[in-house]
Amino acid sequence: MSGNCPATGAPTRNQRLSDGMREMLDGYLSIDQYGLIGNLHTAAMVGMDGSIDFMCWPEFDSPSVFCRLLDKDKGGHFAITPAHASTTSKQQYLPFSNVLSTKFLCEDGVGVVTDFMHRPRPHSRSHRHMMPWLVRGVEVIRGEMTFDLECFPAFDYARTTHTLDLNRVEDAERARPQWHADDAQNSIFQSVFLHWDQAEQNTESYNGTERAVFTPAVVQHSEGLGNTSNAADREAQTAVHAMDLRYVVGCMGGGAGDGACPLVRLTAADHGGKLGQGVTSRFTLCEGQRVFFVLRTVPDVGVAALRAGGGSSNDVAAYLAKYDPALSMKYVETLLEDTLLYWLGWIRSCTYFGRWLENVERSALILKLLTYEPTGAVVAAVTFSLPEAIGDAGRNWDYRFTWVRDSAFTMYAFMRLGLNKEAKKYMEFVGRLCREKNPDGGLQIMYTLRGGREMAELELRHLSGYRNCAPVRIGNGAADHLQLDIYGELLDAVYLYNKFSQPLSYDEWVNIRALVDYVCANYNQPDMGIWEVRGQRQNFTYSKVQCWVAIDRGLRLVDKRDFPCHDKERWRQTRDALYEEIMNRAWNSDLEMFTQSYESTDTLDAAVLAMPLVFFCAGTDPRFVKTMRRIMLPPHHGGLTANNLVFRYNAVHTDDGLNGEEGTFSLCTFWLAEALSRASTADITLLYKAQVIIDEMIMYGNHVGLFSEEIDKSGKHLGNFPQAFTHIALISAAFNVDRALKSNKHRP
């Protein structure tokens, strides 16, 4: 391949692929046009046009560095996109991994952008620690292609200014071109996942001639996240660090001095609406050429922290050797191979081999990405304030925390797939929460990823919101809500953990026993319910059912493990009385349905679909079947289902303290499929209806199998993305419907 490709320059504002893809939504991509990468500490959303439009750094709940998803002008982005509009884009995950590949195709060539955050290879001798880097690889695998790079950070939710230092690296200081005759040999990375020709075994590479350093101003805020007594939360939620962008260039099959490696240059640039300069570059790659760009926190931040903590010069030297190695093509390739092998090794532990296997495995990989490694907590979603309805409904929330409910369901999903290590890690987190209960003996409904309790809600009025859907909120004001259903979900997960994963210890039992006592004393209180309404407290049916579940699972643990329980008879009497109460007060005999609450006797709520899923009643119970069939009616006939998609309730006719409509709730659609499979023992046609619903729901997933919280009438995704709850429900529905289908084959 000739080395005479054009070099570099600043990008012009001609029509580009990215511009064309964003025209229909006034500068935004659809929520479902993103893939997700991450390292179990944070994550980034990569658009199909090659732009990273959302990333909080260095933790999930740290301030955003890129947030164009919530303000196309001010939010900040890191884009690598083809220079011309006549290009088609495709996006996929590399097999069995969370490494994202975005392919661009046109008549003149095919280019690929590979995005990942490093995960250390299991049992690796050379890379036992994680390199906290965002890595973006660009290569051309046919012909040639010109790319535009734009890196415009907007630190601290676009509230803080920054300076740019574009440091030129002198020839004597940067690595000279190096030859690696054996780089391409004996590598799963080279031979399977990447496109370099194995016949061309010689590679040449050189480090970039510039290093872009972005240094944010030091600003303290008196409101919002970070104003907490929890030191670990304060450090993460106020982390606004200097970052640098470096790069390394390489090519295959060249020779010293023949010009085979392209020349790449970074140029300082202004951008309207940003709080500081960014960098741009236009470069053309030919077949066999590639560039890796690496964005990271500058090592000086870690060095300063070491010295502030009394670290010695030896400590500093060891830190730099570990986290500031010399950048080279081979080193970055090794990080990518580590990451691929990490994810491959993890998903191989999955024991599910039923229907919808590919979708179940992708959901498991996404749930793993949403897991915060230091504590085992599961973040509900990596984003904040993506709207549940387009317009001014105000249904925009911050989901970068761990809900007891979501995490308990995630533990159930992992156990169903044989991924018990994750379940054990979360049980340790739960144990910590139980040892630090509220003064009344209960739990909060959500915690920070480190177990903190404070997450003050704040509106960021300077951000316009996704497609101008304000407000943009950080923090979550629902943290102090009373939602009694969390105890049933948690106790059910604990019961299954004891059954399928690892027996509970005595100390764990003592904590669980205290929670059952709390439920027995408080089950009769009205609460805010699973949907976290911001209206009046009610006696929600779903909450009462889950209180029954909590007491029932406590009794089952006593019976199966012979744990000591002096109040066993009181528990049994309370459980049975609560069952009778639900059947009497939550059942509307005129409408023949279970109602949303004791107070809202004519309101339907899809949450009651969970009744047979938690074994409160049989799926064939006439009362439940009548309720389910009513839910399956369209809204204009009093139901909650449209086009086989289920609304959680009728938002127009239900007082939830908010305005406007919302989309169908994906969790509820999967619950309907699972409930149908439970009811199918009496009517086999319901089982095939369940299969159809799952097939159709999978069709609504995006191009890489991700789901948001809701789906609107036109099939577009709404709400925070990707959403753990939806992927959990997919796994559960697939597991149980598949089991029912297999059992049906053996019926006489």
Side-chain angles (χ1 to χ4, degrees), residues 366-397:
I366 292 302
L367 290 177
K368 181 64 173 177
L369 265 187
L370 299 179
T371 302
Y372 182 61
E373 185 177 49
T375 62
V378 178
V379 64
V382 302
T383 57
F384 58 90
S385 289
L386 287 178
E388 296 174 8
I390 301 300
D392 58 356
R395 299 172 183 267
N396 312 341
W397 315 110

Side-chain angles (χ1 to χ4, degrees), residues 579-594:
Y579 194 99
E580 296 278 9
E581 177 184 297
I582 294 169
M583 286 299 188
N584 290 328
R585 298 187 64 186
W587 174 252
N588 184 320
S589 56
D590 294 329
L591 297 177
E592 294 189 312
M593 69 178 194
F594 286 109

Side-chain angles (χ1 to χ4, degrees), residues 36-40 60 93-99 119 339-350 357-371 410 413-414 417 419 422 704-706 722 727-728 731:
L36 185 74
I37 60 171
N39 60 8
L40 311 190
F60 288 112
Y93 284 105
L94 295 185
F96 311 110
S97 81
N98 282 314
V99 175
R119 288 296 305 165
T339 305
L340 287 166
L341 291 174
Y342 170 84
W343 290 115
L344 175 62
W346 184 80
I347 198 61
R348 285 180 65 185
S349 300
C350 177
L357 175 60
E358 182 178 350
N359 305 96
V360 168
E361 288 185 338
R362 175 50 52 198
S363 290
L365 284 162
I366 292 302
L367 290 177
K368 181 64 173 177
L369 265 187
L370 299 179
T371 302
T410 303
F414 279 145
L417 302 181
L419 302 168
E422 283 68 27
V704 288
L706 308 189
H727 287 278
I728 296 163
I731 292 171

Side-chain angles (χ1 to χ4, degrees), residues 251-401:
C251 59
M252 289 290 291
D258 70 354
C261 283
L263 190 60
V264 179
R265 291 283 187 267
L266 300 179
T267 304
D270 296 311
H271 192 291
K274 300 297 187 295
L275 299 171
Q277 284 189 311
V279 293
T280 63
S281 179
R282 171 163 287 185
F283 55 93
T284 299
L285 301 182
C286 298
E287 183 175 338
Q289 298 177 337
R290 68 140 62 95
V291 188
F292 277 112
F293 296 93
V294 176
L295 185 68
R296 61 171 185 170
T297 301
V298 297
D300 296 349
V301 173
V303 170
L306 270 177
R307 287 174 174 160
S312 66
S313 57
N314 289 336
D315 294 329
V316 170
Y319 175 87
L320 291 175
K322 187 175 182 180
Y323 290 108
D324 190 26
L327 187 65
S328 69
M329 182 64 68
K330 186 171 184 178
Y331 184 79
V332 180
E333 289 172 354
T334 303
L335 295 185
L336 177 50
E337 185 174 358
D338 283 351
T339 305
L340 287 166
L341 291 174
Y342 170 84
W343 290 115
L344 175 62
W346 184 80
I347 198 61
R348 285 180 65 185
S349 300
C350 177
T351 58
Y352 180 79
F353 296 102
R355 290 170 178 81
W356 309 291
L357 175 60
E358 182 178 350
N359 305 96
V360 168
E361 288 185 338
R362 175 50 52 198
S363 290
L365 284 162
I366 292 302
L367 290 177
K368 181 64 173 177
L369 265 187
L370 299 179
T371 302
Y372 182 61
E373 185 177 49
T375 62
V378 178
V379 64
V382 302
T383 57
F384 58 90
S385 289
L386 287 178
E388 296 174 8
I390 301 300
D392 58 356
R395 299 172 183 267
N396 312 341
W397 315 110
D398 189 349
Y399 278 13
R400 298 172 300 155
F401 307 104

